[in-house]
Amino acid sequence: MHHPLRHTSRRRTLTLAAALSLLAGLSVTAVSGTAGAAAPQTTRQAEFTAAAQEFGVPLPVLEAVSYNESRWEAHAGQENAEAGYGPMNLTDLTTKELDADGLSTQSPRYADLLKAPAEHTAATAAALLGTDTASVEADETQNIRGGAALLASYAEGYSHGRLPKTIDGWYAAAARYSQGTEDKIAQVFADQVWDTLRTGASATTTDGQQITLPPVGHLHPNRNDVRKLGLKDVTPPAGTQPAECPKSLGCDVIPAAYTLLDPANLADYGSHDIADRPHDLPIRYITLHDTEETYDGTLDLFRDPTYAAGAHYVVRSSDGHVTQLTPTKDIAWDSANRSFYQHSIGIEQEGYATHSSTWFSEPLYRSTAALVKYLAKKYDIPLDRAHILGHDNIPGSSESGIATQHWDPGPGWDWEHFFDLLGAPVHATAKKGSDIVAIKPGFARNKQTTTYCDGLPGYKQFPGPYRGFECPATSADAPSSFVPLYSAPSTSAPLLADPYLHPTGAGTTAMDDWGDKAPSGEQYVVAERQPGWTAIWYGGKEAWLQDSAQHPVTVPVKASRIVPKAGRTSIPVYTTAYPEASVYPADFVAFEGGVAPRPQRAAAKYSIAAGQSYVESGPAMNTDSYFAIYYDGSAPYDRHDFVGQTKVYEIVYNHRVAFVNADDVDVIP
C-alpha cells in the first residue's frame, strides 16, 4: 500500500557510552561475520549487565524485553514509530512529532494520545534516575538504566514492594512494559519475551554491537499474572466472528467495507470480492505490504468503500497487535495484479518504506511471522520467497503498470530475520556447488546508500522540493535487504536498467528503482563468475553483483530451473496468468460487451533468450481469472473462476516474479 501521507524522520545525536571498566572482561559469544570486518563491540552487552545489577533485574529479562522492543538497536538516536528512543524504546511523544507526521493535534484522538502515559515513558524513567528526559533519549547508558529502573518499579508495584525472586515472577512487569491498554495485548508481549528467553538470541546490531542472550530453561510463568495490571479485558461479544489467527496473538476483527456505492449500478462496490477460497480457487501466496499510513489511518481507509483497496490483516508497529479486516475466503484488492491477489492473503504492516528501520519493530516482525506460519499451515503455502512475497515482488499487470507497481515494504524490511522467525531460513535448501544461488547479504552488515523523495506519493524521483520535502533525500549506509546489480563486473560500471523504468540510460540508487536490486531470499541461476563477482540471469540480462569468498552475499541452493525449449531463440514473459479466450462462454462474452475479458498478453519489453535460465517456483499451474462483477453476485457467471487449459510456470525473473508458458520451456531439476 502507498499513500501520500509520509513519515518524516527526526534525528537526534546519540552519545555512545564508553565500555564499563568493571565489566571489561565480560565474555561474549560472537556471531560469525565476513572476513576482514571490524571486530564486534560489546559495550551494549556490558551496559545491560551493569543496569541489571544496579536495579536488581535479571539480566535475561532485561535483555529479552529490549530485544522485543528494539532488537537491541539504538537507531543512532532516531525515533521509531511511537516516538521511542534507544534499546529500551523509551517514548516521548510531543506535538512536534504529530505535526511532522501530518496529524492534527486538534483531533480528540491525537490530543488524548499526547496525554497517554504510554507515550511518555522516557520522562518516567528519567524521574526514577533523577535525571532529565533528554539524557535517557540521547545517552545509551542512561536509556538502558532507565528501562531497567522502569521494569523494577513495575515489578515492585505488583509484588508488594519487593522484587520477584524468580525470572517467572517478572512476567507481569514485562507485560506492563509493553504499555498495552488491553490485557491480551500485554500478555502477547510478555509471551514473546518468554519465548525469547526460552530460545535465546544473538545478534550483531547495525552499529556493530554484539549481544548474546543464552537460552533459559525451566520457565513456567503464570500467564494470569497479567490480570494484576488492571487493564481492559476485551472479550468479543457473543456471536462475533472470531479472527482467523493464532490464539497467542489475540487478534481482533474490524470488518472492511463491503458496500454498494451506487444503487443504480451493481458493479460499483468496494472494497473486496466475495469468494469461497480455497474451495473455488486456491490460495498460493501471502503478500506483505507496509501501510504508508498510521495504524488508525489505515483502518479508516480500509473501512471506506470508496478507497477501492483492501487487505486481510493489519499489524500495528508499537506492539504487534493484529487486526483482521477481510475473511481469508474472500479476495482483498491489495496488489494491483489479479493473477496474484486472487490467490493471495494480504498483510499490511504499519510503517513507511522510506523509514522502515523506525517502524518495523520486533513485535511487528514476530506477530507477522506468527500469522504467516499459521496461514501457511492452514492453506499449505510453502514458506519460501516464491510464495511469501513483498508487494515489490509482484509485477504490474499491464504495460503501464509494470513501472508504477508499488515497491513496499522496501529495502529496510529484513527478509532474512523474518524467515528465521518463520523457521525457514533463506539458506534452508543449501547445496554446495550448485549454480543456483539465494541472495543472502546479511541485513545488518549489508549497508547500502539509497535516495528517495520523502512524502512523494508517486514512484519516480523528481528534482526540487515537493510538498515541503526535499528530493532526493538520502538514506546513507543503511542496513538493506538487497544487493546492487551492475551491467559489468565493476562498481564503476552502470547499474542495471529495467526497460520499463529506464528505456534509455542506467539504473539508479533510488530506493524505488527495483530494476537494479536483487532482494534477499530470491533465487537466481548463475550465468558467469569472475574473481570477486557473480553474474546472474536477471530480467533478460547478465547482472553482476559483488560476491567473494571474503564477503559472500549468495548461498548455493537446490532448486529447479527453466530454459527455453531447444530451437527457440527467445520466449515471451508474462506478468499475468489469464486464461485463453476460448474458456469464456458466449453468453458471458456478450454480457461483457462482446469482447473476451482480460486477455493474456506478453510483456513487450521482457523476454528470455536461448542460453538463459531462471528458477521456477513450483509445478506448472493452469491459468485462471476469477470474476466477481455485481455486488449481489447476480450477474451471469458471477463469482466464478474461469480456468484455462494453458499451463504456466512462475519464475523469479528480476526483482519480481513472472510467468512463462509451460509449452515454451524445459524444466531442469
Side-chain angles (χ1 to χ4, degrees), residues 252-305:
D252 64 358
V253 176
I254 299 177
Y258 186 74
T259 305
L260 181 63
L261 301 176
D262 181 358
N265 181 5
L266 289 175
D268 188 8
Y269 66 89
S271 59
H272 57 275
D273 291 329
I274 302 298
D276 189 24
R277 304 185 306 172
H279 304 296
D280 51 3
L281 69 167
I283 298 175
R284 300 186 182 121
Y285 312 106
I286 298 172
T287 306
L288 304 186
H289 307 255
D290 72 53
T291 60
E292 299 300 314
E293 250 289 4
T294 63
Y295 168 82
D296 289 335
T298 300
L299 295 183
D300 289 343
L301 288 172
F302 287 159
R303 286 180 289 179
D304 177 359

Side-chain angles (χ1 to χ4, degrees), residues 7 30 62 80 111 132 138 146 178 190 203 219 245 292 371 539 617 660-661 663:
H7 175 70
L62 182 62
N80 67 14
D132 58 89
S178 73
L219 295 175
C245 194
E292 299 300 314
L371 179 61
S617 303
V660 292
N661 280 350
D663 290 342

Side-chain angles (χ1 to χ4, degrees), residues 99-178:
D99 290 341
D101 282 346
L103 306 177
S104 172
T105 55
Q106 303 304 312
S107 165
R109 173 194 298 170
Y110 299 118
D112 290 344
L113 191 63
L114 281 170
K115 302 174 185 176
E119 303 300 336
H120 302 285
T121 59
T124 306
L128 291 170
L129 298 181
T131 186
D132 58 89
T133 301
S135 67
V136 299
E137 294 172 2
D139 187 301
E140 180 180 313
T141 300
Q142 298 302 323
N143 183 273
I144 294 173
R145 289 183 68 236
L150 264 184
L151 267 174
S153 70
Y154 295 154
E156 289 175 340
Y158 303 128
S159 301
H160 308 290
R162 299 185 299 272
L163 294 178
K165 296 181 179 179
T166 66
I167 286 180
D168 283 334
W170 287 80
Y171 185 89
R176 178 70 181 85
Y177 199 94
S178 73

Side-chain angles (χ1 to χ4, degrees), residues 155-334:
E156 289 175 340
Y158 303 128
S159 301
H160 308 290
R162 299 185 299 272
L163 294 178
K165 296 181 179 179
T166 66
I167 286 180
D168 283 334
W170 287 80
Y171 185 89
R176 178 70 181 85
Y177 199 94
S178 73
Q179 308 304 322
T181 58
E182 300 171 8
D183 56 2
K184 189 60 179 180
I185 292 174
Q187 190 177 60
V188 167
F189 179 80
D191 286 345
Q192 291 172 340
V193 170
W194 256 248
D195 286 344
T196 302
L197 289 169
R198 292 186 182 96
T199 61
S202 184
T204 300
T205 64
T206 55
D207 56 354
Q209 292 290 323
Q210 172 63 55
I211 301 172
T212 297
L213 167 61
V216 178
H218 309 294
L219 295 175
H220 303 285
N222 182 356
R223 299 178 70 246
N224 287 328
D225 280 354
V226 74
R227 296 176 181 172
K228 296 178 180 179
L229 278 60
L231 303 177
K232 290 185 291 186
D233 178 8
V234 183
T235 302
T240 300
Q241 183 70 25
E244 300 169 273
C245 194
K247 290 183 179 179
S248 62
L249 290 184
C251 308
D252 64 358
V253 176
I254 299 177
Y258 186 74
T259 305
L260 181 63
L261 301 176
D262 181 358
N265 181 5
L266 289 175
D268 188 8
Y269 66 89
S271 59
H272 57 275
D273 291 329
I274 302 298
D276 189 24
R277 304 185 306 172
H279 304 296
D280 51 3
L281 69 167
I283 298 175
R284 300 186 182 121
Y285 312 106
I286 298 172
T287 306
L288 304 186
H289 307 255
D290 72 53
T291 60
E292 299 300 314
E293 250 289 4
T294 63
Y295 168 82
D296 289 335
T298 300
L299 295 183
D300 289 343
L301 288 172
F302 287 159
R303 286 180 289 179
D304 177 359
T306 66
Y307 187 62
H312 292 93
Y313 300 90
V314 178
V315 185
R316 191 161 58 201
S317 171
S318 60
D319 53 16
H321 178 64
V322 177
T323 295
Q324 183 171 7
L325 297 111
T326 307
T328 59
K329 72 177 185 65
D330 294 335
I331 299 170
W333 304 340
D334 78 322

Side-chain angles (χ1 to χ4, degrees), residues 40 283 336 351 384 441 446 498 504 568 606 612:
I283 298 175
D384 59 39
N446 180 45
D498 184 272
T504 60
R568 302 291 300 271
Y606 289 160
Q612 296 184 11

